[in-house]
Structures are given as structure tokens and as C-alpha cells.
Amino acid sequence: MLRGQAASVTGANSGIGLATAIALGRAGAEVVVNHVVGREAADDAVRRIEGYGVRAVAHEADVSDEAQVLAMFARMIEEFGRIDILVANAGLQSDAAFTDMTVEQWHKVVDMNLAPHGIRVNAVAPGAIRTPINRDAWQTPEAERDLLTLIPYRRVGDPQDIADAVVVLASDLMDYVVGTTIYIDDGMTFFPGFAEGG
């Protein structure tokens, strides 16, 4: 599906990023496995991706540092000769109210116009996914039971649920999809209890 494409996944040494990097490799893409910690996990991801007969490299870079990001892209060009797919997955969970965003910040995001250059930008909005970042929400039977009260489908998501969506979004199957957010949350955002407990 993605044979000959070159992809970079940030935060690809665990959770959603790891599953996404492996899924992209399985779909035929060459992959840069970005990490800022967890070199062994990143190297293991590279081995797993290479098992699909495609190339992969681990690259340490702090994505909050522009110079390190530029160096990562330079390496990607050096290794693969191109950049086709960028998955900006790395992040920290730090909840904030929408009202804290300034108008200038909002316009900076909205005014970025990439489509005329053939660049498609889409987002995936995960619901409750079993990752290290939210382990406290699902690790014990009690915590998982409480979490499931917010999920209509009554299942906590797996990183693979997100990875599969990213692969499809990156493929030509979604060539006409631009500026869209796909919610992968088992209907959580539509569930009344989410407003109080999510």
C-alpha cells in the first residue's frame, strides 16, 4: 500500500508511535523511528520494521528543538532520498482549556496553507488508548472499570487501532481527505459521561 514511501514517526519507541511506525513498515514504507529516550525500544522497532523487507533507522531527536528536527529530516533525506509521510505523534499529556489558546496561535495553525503543494494534513484524535502515558487510567481492574463507563463500546483502545488509521490516511485511498480530524475513540466524545469524567 505504501511501497516506496518514506515516513518519519515521532515518539516511535512506545505506545501509538511504536504501533504506527511498525504498521507503516508493514504497509511497505521506509521508516525513521524517532525517539528522545528509549534507544533499545527504538532499535527493536527498527528490527521489526526491517522484518517486512523495508529499511528503517532509529534517530534520537527532541522534537521541541527545531535544530534537532531539521537534523532528523536531513538524515531522512540522506537515508531514503525523500519525505512522504510525517506522523507528529510525540507529546505529553497536559490538559488545558480551549479558552487559553490565543487568537494569534489559532490563526497561525489555521492560516498554514499546504494543500496547493500537494501536502495533505490530517489529524487523528485518539480516545482512551492503552499506552504508558495513561497507564493509571487502565492498569488496575478498578481503574479500567471506571474508564469503561465513559466508552460506549466498552473497550479500551489499543495502539494498533490508531496505527491502522494512520496507514490508511497516509495512503492514496485517502488522497482527497485534507484538513480532517478522525476521532478513534469508540464514540467517547459523543457519550454524555465523558463531559464529567473524561
Side-chain angles (χ1 to χ4, degrees):
M1 180 183 285
L2 299 176
R3 185 67 55 189
Q5 302 282 311
S8 177
V9 182
T10 64
N13 60 311
S14 70
I16 292 170
L18 174 62
T20 299
I22 292 168
L24 289 167
R26 186 174 55 245
E30 298 174 321
V31 183
V32 172
V33 177
N34 163 255
H35 64 99
V36 71
V37 296
R39 176 64 192 227
E40 290 180 9
D43 288 340
D44 182 59
V46 166
R47 285 188 290 276
R48 292 174 67 183
I49 293 165
E50 289 176 336
Y52 296 112
V54 296
R55 294 184 297 161
V57 295
H59 187 90
E60 181 178 336
D62 179 346
V63 296
S64 69
D65 183 318
E66 182 181 4
Q68 291 186 45
V69 172
L70 292 174
M72 180 174 63
F73 290 158
R75 181 168 182 208
M76 188 174 181
I77 294 294
E78 178 185 329
E79 295 281 348
F80 304 139
R82 57 191 294 156
I83 300 173
D84 299 299
I85 302 163
L86 301 175
V87 180
N89 164 75
L92 302 172
Q93 185 164 329
S94 180
D95 297 334
F98 172 75
T99 54
D100 291 340
M101 180 180 280
T102 67
V103 172
E104 290 77 18
Q105 290 169 320
W106 174 254
H107 282 295
K108 185 174 182 179
V109 173
V110 174
D111 292 345
M112 184 175 289
N113 190 354
L114 301 174
H117 302 287
I119 298 171
R120 296 184 294 121
V121 178
N122 293 294
V124 174
I129 307 295
R130 288 184 202 277
T131 64
I133 203 169
N134 65 352
R135 188 178 306 277
D136 290 346
W138 54 263
Q139 190 169 26
T140 66
E142 297 78 18
E144 184 171 3
R145 184 189 65 238
D146 290 345
L147 180 59
L148 290 176
T149 64
L150 304 173
I151 305 172
Y153 198 57
R154 299 292 187 253
R155 176 173 78 82
V156 179
D158 293 311
Q160 192 65 47
D161 294 318
I162 307 305
D164 292 341
V166 171
V167 169
V168 173
L169 269 176
S171 77
D172 288 341
L173 294 173
M174 295 290 185
D175 185 58
Y176 203 57
V177 178
V178 179
T180 294
T181 300
I182 296 179
Y183 293 87
I184 304 174
D185 65 358
D186 287 335
M188 256 178 108
T189 51
F190 297 110
F191 203 56
F194 182 69
E196 289 80 35

